């Protein structure tokens, strides 16, 4: 079984969670696929955005990632979203330096074009969306966009860059997904793992 987990801020929390159910690994290695304390379980550490693709294709069996990324995934037909880990709590927010309600067709910079489009469609607001992968906060400062849709934890970065949070679009936490084919082949095994995870976060 291959478990894929994201690089960055969630790595430590997910590593601790896996350790609590007896799956331990050393992430200081330069190896791309890591052995664990369980003989038949391996771990790979990937970019969050790539995790749905690996699980969808059945290359990885289980994936851990934020709901923000899961909402943007285009390949979702071959995995189940199993549970909310309630880790990495943050919010996806609309922010700007100005009042965008006075702009007929504001330009929105974001890493989350699908979620942003859905949000503005529900608001019946016509917008132009620019997809960026880097530091989103700089887009309105340099005049590339009128506003941004991005993850916010404390709001400190927004404040330091003169941005005001206009609306919270969604609360975001980490989720677990499992490849459908893998699950169907050994449902009892996976149910046992997921039950252990649920017990450890209660």
């Amino acid at each position: 079984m291959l478990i894929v987990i994201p690089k960055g801020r969630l790595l430590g929390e997910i590593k601790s969670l896996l350790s609590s159910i007896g799956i331990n690994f050393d992430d200081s290695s330069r190896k791309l696929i890591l052995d664990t304390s369980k003989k038949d379980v391996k771990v790979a550490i990937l970019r969050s955005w790539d995790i749905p693709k690996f699980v969808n294709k059945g290359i990885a069996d289980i994936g851990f990632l934020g709901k923000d990324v899961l909402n943007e995934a285009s390949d979702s037909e071959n995995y189940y979203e199993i549970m909310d880990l309630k880790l990495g709590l943050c919010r996806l927010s609309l922010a700007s330096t100005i009042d965008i309600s006075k702009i007929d067709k504001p330009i929105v910079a974001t890493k989350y074009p699908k979620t942003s489009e859905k949000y503005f469609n529900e608001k019946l607001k016509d917008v132009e969306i620019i997809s960026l992968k880097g530091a989103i906060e700089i887009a309105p400062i340099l005049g590339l966009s009128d506003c941004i849709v991005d993850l916010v934890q404390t709001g400190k970065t927004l404040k330091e860059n003169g941005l005001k949070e206009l609306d919270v679009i969604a609360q975001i936490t980490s989720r677990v997904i499992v490849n459908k084919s893998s699950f169907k082949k050994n449902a009892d095994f996976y149910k046992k793992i997921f039950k252990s995870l649920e017990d450890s976060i209660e």
Side-chain angles (χ1 to χ4, degrees):
M1 180 176 71
L2 178 62
I3 299 173
V4 285
I5 62 178
K7 296 178 179 179
R9 65 187 182 89
L10 291 175
L11 176 57
E13 289 182 276
I14 294 171
K15 184 180 178 183
S16 296
L17 183 60
L18 288 172
S19 178
S20 72
I21 64 168
I23 300 174
N24 297 286
F25 62 92
D26 178 9
D27 61 323
S28 65
S29 168
R30 288 182 174 270
K31 289 176 67 177
L32 299 176
I33 299 176
L34 306 173
D35 294 321
T36 73
S37 54
K38 297 281 189 183
K39 182 181 176 183
D40 298 321
V41 179
K42 295 187 182 298
V43 165
I45 301 170
L46 306 176
R47 288 175 68 252
S48 293
W49 295 95
D50 294 332
I51 287 174
K53 296 180 175 66
F54 279 84
V55 177
N56 190 64
K57 293 291 186 183
I59 295 165
D61 302 289
I62 295 174
F64 291 77
L65 72 165
K67 184 65 173 175
D68 57 320
V69 174
L70 207 52
N71 285 340
E72 292 293 312
S74 55
D75 300 322
S76 60
E77 69 275 7
N78 200 33
Y79 58 75
Y80 300 115
E81 182 181 335
I82 296 296
M83 74 177 76
D84 182 351
L85 295 173
K86 299 177 174 63
L87 295 176
L89 178 63
C90 54
R91 58 195 184 273
L92 189 66
S93 292
L94 170 67
S96 181
T97 58
I98 57 174
D99 180 1
I100 64 166
S101 66
K102 298 175 182 177
I103 302 173
D104 288 337
K105 188 177 180 179
I107 301 170
V108 185
T110 186
K111 295 176 186 174
Y112 307 100
K114 283 178 66 175
T115 306
S116 299
E117 184 177 15
K118 181 181 177 184
Y119 168 78
F120 284 106
N121 283 343
E122 289 172 353
K123 297 287 185 182
L124 302 177
K125 182 73 172 176
D126 191 20
V127 297
E128 178 185 343
I129 294 175
I130 296 176
S131 183
L132 296 178
K133 292 298 183 187
I136 305 299
E137 293 88 358
I138 201 169
I141 296 169
L142 295 181
L144 181 65
S145 71
D146 299 303
C147 56
I148 63 171
V149 171
D150 202 14
L151 285 185
V152 178
Q153 284 182 284
T154 64
K156 184 180 178 182
T157 303
L158 293 180
K159 190 174 181 180
E160 287 180 349
N161 288 284
L163 291 156
K164 182 180 179 181
E165 207 168 347
L166 303 179
D167 196 9
V168 175
I169 296 172
Q171 296 293 332
I172 301 295
T173 50
S174 301
R175 309 299 169 103
V176 179
I177 59 174
V178 62
N179 176 267
K180 286 183 180 180
S181 301
S182 298
F183 185 82
K184 288 171 183 175
K185 284 176 186 174
N186 203 346
D188 289 342
F189 170 74
Y190 284 103
K191 285 177 182 177
K192 187 176 179 181
I193 288 177
F194 299 140
K195 180 63 169 62
S196 296
L197 282 173
E198 282 180 354
D199 291 344
S200 69
I201 61 177
E202 285 180 354

